[in-house]
Amino acid sequence: MWADLAPVGRHPGSGGYRRYAWTGADTDCRAWFRAQAEARGLVCETDRNGNQWAWLGDRTAGDAVVTGSHLDSVPDGGAFDGPLGVVSSFAALDELRRRGARFTRPLAVANFGDEEGARFGLACVGSRLAAGQLTRRAAFALRDADGISLPQAMEAAGHDPEAIGPDPERLAGIGAFVELHVEQGRALDLTGDAVGVASAIWPHGRWRFDFRGEANHAGTTRLADRRDPMLTYAETVLAARREAELAGAVATFGKVAVEPNGVNAIPSLVRGWLDSRAPDQAALDTVLAAVERAARERAERDGTDVAVVRESFTPVVEFEHALRDEIGRILGGSVPVLGTGAGHDAGILSASVPTAMLFVRNPTGVSHSPAEYAAEDDCVAGVRALADVLEGLACG
């Protein structure tokens, strides 16, 4: 499975993956998922929001156990973020069948659409729509860098955008959702464990900072006469790092757009996107307020203007303690429990269904990069742990 999926959407120059929502690479990933489901005799369907489900048993029976993750990627992302969870889910089912497990609850493997938000700027679109956390109106307003709207992209890929919206009936039939994911950090490497259980997802969000100044000639405009928004932006980037360190949080300006974007032109507009995450809401609020204050103070000096727009936000997610404790019991009680600053579909769905997460050790801690890696032995340990959990939940 891993070898079959590996070439899909891989960029020959960077070695990273560009599996963006509703593109050719995404279509190929969906075809791979369907083929894996059909090879195992599972009933594969695509829901109204473009999420894929591969069912074993009658999904209408209710109280289903669902596992899975996503197959899309960030720009030039790694091979493990998302796909490891989907591959491991199919492999765990194979392991349970090898054991002769008898299922007493319906089981499904899921592939949630547009989890990374690389194309339209909003993460977890498929699960947000299903859970009613993204309105139809807001979804229809999403556009990519080329101005293509989400409905246009869906329609071009053969999916009816008029169908999107909340899916409470489907979610009501799920008794537990367990997502396996490569760890995006080094906590397990430091403890020496191959597998861990998630405790919570930090509150996190994305904010767009628009810095407006005055375009002018880079070679003839006196420094004293400039209204250069790049200076304001630069100070804001440094402020984000300072404030994150003080609050025990993280803050990153990882995307920037400049107009007119000429080497010999002072910019008229610098647009930067801030991603910030913190252990609790108070720390996140402190970071954002301090960064915005620093931006406005610098803008006053530079003669520029600043506007801040919150593009997405997810509050702290505490995974259901009863399910987390049951998973710990199934795995022997000695599995480390750790929090994470990364968002996941499991976090979005937690408001609607009981959810939990397993993490597989990442020896370098590198993620969202072609260097992302997990050893084969650890991946196999993850499959066995997931199989144990599914057996405990769906075969009891």
Side-chain angles (χ1 to χ4, degrees):
M1 281 189 289
W2 197 254
D4 288 344
L5 185 60
V8 179
R10 190 168 193 174
H11 190 268
S14 68
Y17 289 90
R18 299 182 182 180
R19 297 167 173 162
Y20 306 148
W22 306 111
T23 64
D26 184 49
T27 298
D28 291 344
C29 285
R30 291 170 178 272
W32 174 90
F33 182 92
R34 179 174 292 276
Q36 295 300 326
E38 292 175 349
R40 291 166 174 78
L42 309 180
V43 177
C44 188
E45 60 177 346
T46 301
D47 68 20
R48 60 192 301 179
N49 297 306
N51 305 308
Q52 289 182 290
W53 306 79
W55 287 95
L56 176 67
D58 181 8
R59 79 168 184 86
T60 64
D63 201 29
V65 176
V66 179
T67 185
S69 191
H70 64 95
L71 294 175
D72 65 312
S73 75
V74 299
D76 289 325
F80 293 82
D81 182 353
L84 180 63
V86 179
V87 170
S88 296
S89 296
F90 284 124
L93 175 58
D94 294 344
E95 169 65 11
L96 290 176
R97 283 174 161 169
R98 187 191 66 79
R99 296 177 187 178
R102 299 175 63 86
F103 295 91
T104 57
R105 299 166 67 179
L107 179 72
V109 177
N111 167 34
F112 288 98
D114 200 5
E115 193 271 355
E116 295 290 7
R119 184 174 181 185
F120 298 101
L122 178 65
C124 300
V125 170
S127 54
R128 284 183 193 272
L129 283 168
Q133 296 180 27
L134 175 62
T135 66
R136 177 188 178 88
R137 180 177 180 180
F140 270 51
L142 293 174
R143 279 171 171 70
D144 67 11
D146 296 320
I148 299 172
S149 70
L150 175 62
Q152 289 172 325
M154 295 176 77
E155 191 170 21
H159 188 82
D160 181 11
E162 295 300 324
I164 67 173
D167 206 349
E169 182 180 353
R170 180 180 297 273
L171 297 187
I174 300 175
F177 174 63
V178 182
E179 181 174 4
L180 180 144
H181 204 280
V182 66
E183 187 192 0
Q184 293 167 292
R186 290 189 56 225
L188 292 174
D189 186 57
L190 295 174
T191 63
D193 295 283
V195 179
V197 178
S199 59
I201 297 176
W202 288 8
H204 57 279
R206 298 177 182 182
W207 291 264
R208 191 187 78 231
F209 282 65
D210 293 342
F211 305 91
R212 296 185 183 275
E214 181 180 51
N216 215 326
H217 197 295
T220 62
T221 310
R222 294 192 318 150
L223 295 181
D225 293 337
R226 300 183 180 205
R227 296 176 53 226
D228 186 351
M230 188 65 78
L231 298 177
T232 318
Y233 167 70
E235 174 57 35
T236 307
V237 173
L238 296 174
R241 175 58 181 262
R242 291 195 304 268
E243 299 302 331
E245 286 184 326
L246 290 173
V250 292
T252 307
F253 276 96
K255 179 181 177 181
V256 62
V258 181
E259 296 178 11
N261 204 29
V263 175
N264 59 348
I266 299 166
S268 60
L269 170 66
V270 176
R271 180 166 282 153
W273 282 263
L274 172 69
D275 179 300
S276 189
R277 307 159 192 243
D280 55 60
Q281 188 61 52
L284 185 61
D285 291 342
T286 296
V287 170
L288 183 64
V291 172
E292 185 172 347
R293 183 170 58 251
R296 297 193 184 284
E297 289 175 354
R298 179 69 197 207
E300 187 172 351
R301 290 172 52 192
D302 296 332
T304 58
D305 297 315
V306 179
V308 182
V309 178
R310 188 179 82 177
E311 293 195 338
S312 69
F313 174 73
T314 303
V316 63
V317 174
E318 282 279 349
F319 290 114
E320 186 180 83
H321 289 199
L323 179 58
R324 187 181 71 196
D325 293 346
E326 175 66 7
I327 288 174
R329 184 194 64 76
I330 291 170
L331 296 180
S334 60
V335 180
V337 178
L338 56 148
T340 177
H344 301 280
D345 291 309
I348 299 298
L349 296 176
S350 67
S352 305
V353 301
T355 60
M357 290 193 72
L358 299 178
F359 290 124
V360 172
R361 176 167 48 193
N362 178 341
T364 66
V366 174
S367 188
H368 284 188
S369 158
E372 184 177 80
Y373 173 73
E376 184 174 330
D377 287 349
D378 288 345
C379 293
V380 171
V383 168
R384 289 175 175 156
L386 180 60
D388 290 343
V389 168
L390 297 178
E391 185 173 25
L393 296 176
C395 302

